[in-house]
Amino acid sequence: MADLSINLAGIKSPNPFWLASAPPANTGAQVMRAFDAGWGGAVWKTLGEPIVNVSSRFGGIDVGQQRLMGLNNIELITDRPLDVNLAEIKEVKQRYPNHAVVVSLMVETKAQWKEIIEKVEETGCDGLELNFGCPHGMCERGMGSAVGQEPEVLTEITKWAKEYAKTPVLVKLTPSITDILDTGLAGVKGGADGLSLINTIKSIMGVDLDKFVPYPYVDGKSTNGGYCGPAVKPIALQMVGALAREKAIGIPISGIGGISNWRDAAEFIALGATSVQVCTAVMHYGYRIVEDMIEGLNNYLDEKGMKSVNELRGKAVPNYVEWNELNMNYKVVAAIDSDKCISCQLCLVACYDGAHQCIHRTTDCFDGSHQNAERTNGSRVPFVDEYECIGCNLCALVCPVPGCITMKELDSGKPYQTWPEYQQEMAK
């Protein structure tokens, strides 16, 4: 079996799977149960000045039969006493010395940062995570995403933390920013030892059309909250990859956002993450999902001949480029397997109404120039006019039968040509 152990900025854990700073990492009893289940680390639910939460706190979005495709929360940082949290953190670290225990923090003034860092590090924790991403409640108090959206402020507070911290400092970034590089580089400038992202996205999940109140309902009112779950994974992957490919970043990344299984985790690691943090999937299915995540990642690494998860890290980063670096001469077209086709016609409708009108019924009339025009034997299997197909993938994406529609490569006979090169050629 491959070695899954990692070292993120000096924070070691037996595997890359960490609980994110959220309800699943709210108490010592929870974190210990998670470690017993197989989790390699945990980022403790954010500590700070005492707060009071509201009821209710969560809202969800379902897609088809998939429950909680997206989860929204208006819960704030921990509402448990600081001394209780500190005692539990200390106990967890003493009982699980080989697991990563990182503590998320959020306070306001420099003096408060000094005080809480000193208290937290006395527990023996492995590192700190600065919560610069919470999009609700705390940002109205000048913390959370209010810091994460201001690079200069983020840099300054990171410097405060580094001034007092003896353990590694991770900066947790908000996705509510125009360019994640701005705040990522701000964290580097402040001396951060690592970056974690993404935090939740400011959102409203829906509106009760009888009561005319957004969800979740709080005595006739509501507010925007933080959006997470499988639906945010594409956003998180892009931001993790954008930081990983930037040479000026140069510090490790903990990836967060919609990770639900080993494949999700592997994708984040391939795009540069050292550890991955999980929240919504645990809230949905419980701690034991990590068993399948560990087994799946191990099997994948074995199949690829990788001896360590560290060999996977960043494998996809060189292939994440800007649009104008793509090959303009690459060509794929759709191919329909008639043996697998169930004649639902979804591909035809999607292509005609939403794409480039290159999929046709076999009974459609064409002139003799179309290679498939003779297919008028009563079959309802659509066919592709390869000359007109631009390889957009839409038909393959809407097809309900796995493997029925694939995209096959066509040799254009032309060399790799980027957009700038194409422009130069056209200008001649």
Side-chain angles (χ1 to χ4, degrees), residues 38-114:
W39 292 88
V43 183
W44 209 274
K45 188 167 168 60
T46 307
L47 309 184
E49 289 294 299
I51 58 92
V52 177
N53 274 303
V54 298
S55 176
S56 60
R57 304 176 189 178
F58 300 133
I61 282 186
D62 306 331
V63 177
Q65 298 300 311
Q66 174 66 54
R67 298 282 283 171
L68 285 189
M69 191 67 181
L71 175 70
N72 168 287
N73 86 90
I74 58 172
E75 184 169 301
L76 304 184
I77 64 176
T78 183
D79 51 12
R80 304 168 67 240
L82 180 61
D83 59 344
V84 172
N85 276 294
L86 295 176
E88 292 179 4
I89 294 169
K90 184 175 182 179
E91 180 185 4
V92 170
K93 190 57 194 174
Q94 288 176 342
R95 293 181 60 177
Y96 297 83
N98 297 321
H99 288 67
V101 179
V102 179
V103 183
S104 176
L105 302 176
M106 185 195 298
V107 288
E108 190 170 0
T109 68
K110 186 175 184 179
Q112 289 173 321
W113 280 106
K114 180 177 187 297

Side-chain angles (χ1 to χ4, degrees), residues 30 95 101 130 189 256 279 303 349:
Q30 288 176 283
R95 293 181 60 177
V101 179
L130 313 185
K189 184 178 179 181
I256 315 167
C279 168
E303 289 173 4
V349 172

Side-chain angles (χ1 to χ4, degrees), residues 76-333:
L76 304 184
I77 64 176
T78 183
D79 51 12
R80 304 168 67 240
L82 180 61
D83 59 344
V84 172
N85 276 294
L86 295 176
E88 292 179 4
I89 294 169
K90 184 175 182 179
E91 180 185 4
V92 170
K93 190 57 194 174
Q94 288 176 342
R95 293 181 60 177
Y96 297 83
N98 297 321
H99 288 67
V101 179
V102 179
V103 183
S104 176
L105 302 176
M106 185 195 298
V107 288
E108 190 170 0
T109 68
K110 186 175 184 179
Q112 289 173 321
W113 280 106
K114 180 177 187 297
E115 180 182 9
I116 200 166
I117 287 173
E118 290 175 348
K119 287 182 177 179
V120 167
E121 290 194 327
E122 288 176 359
T123 66
C125 69
D126 298 290
L128 310 174
E129 184 180 82
L130 313 185
N131 185 344
F132 294 156
C134 183
H136 56 274
M138 304 309 293
C139 52
E140 290 92 324
R141 310 178 195 194
M143 295 176 278
S145 62
V147 173
Q149 293 172 329
E150 297 290 342
E152 292 183 5
V153 179
L154 187 154
T155 295
E156 185 64 21
I157 297 180
T158 303
K159 287 180 178 178
W160 294 352
K162 285 295 295 179
E163 180 180 344
Y164 303 124
K166 298 176 182 178
T167 58
V169 173
L170 310 181
V171 170
K172 189 173 186 178
L173 301 177
T174 175
S176 300
I177 193 77
T178 302
D179 188 345
I180 197 66
L181 284 177
D182 292 342
T183 48
L185 291 170
V188 171
K189 184 178 179 181
D193 299 292
L195 301 171
S196 56
L197 68 156
I198 59 172
N199 209 314
T200 54
I201 303 170
K202 183 175 286 190
S203 60
I204 290 177
M205 297 302 277
V207 176
D208 185 320
L209 292 179
D210 292 317
K211 298 178 180 177
F212 302 106
V213 178
Y215 301 113
Y217 182 92
V218 184
D219 193 22
K221 304 291 183 182
S222 191
T223 188
N224 59 269
Y227 189 46
C228 55
V232 310
K233 175 188 162 187
I235 299 169
L237 279 173
Q238 184 277 323
M239 292 188 173
V240 166
L243 294 180
R245 71 180 183 177
E246 174 55 56
K247 293 181 179 180
I249 293 295
I251 56 177
I253 296 169
S254 184
I256 315 167
I259 298 166
S260 303
N261 52 54
W262 74 264
R263 183 176 293 274
D264 295 334
E267 291 175 6
F268 273 83
I269 295 169
L271 272 174
T274 298
S275 74
V276 293
Q277 299 184 32
V278 183
C279 168
T280 306
V282 172
M283 295 176 72
H284 195 171
Y285 300 110
Y287 296 127
R288 292 190 62 183
I289 62 170
V290 76
E291 296 174 4
D292 290 338
M293 297 173 86
I294 291 172
E295 181 180 4
L297 183 58
N298 254 314
N299 290 340
Y300 169 77
L301 294 173
D302 288 346
E303 289 173 4
K304 294 297 182 181
M306 299 183 190
K307 302 299 183 182
S308 167
V309 68
N310 298 304
E311 294 181 43
L312 175 62
R313 188 188 314 134
K315 280 281 190 180
V317 171
N319 298 321
Y320 173 32
V321 298
E322 293 301 308
W323 187 92
N324 62 8
E325 298 176 63
L326 299 176
N327 183 9
M328 306 298 293
N329 289 327
Y330 181 68
K331 175 72 172 177
V332 295
V333 296

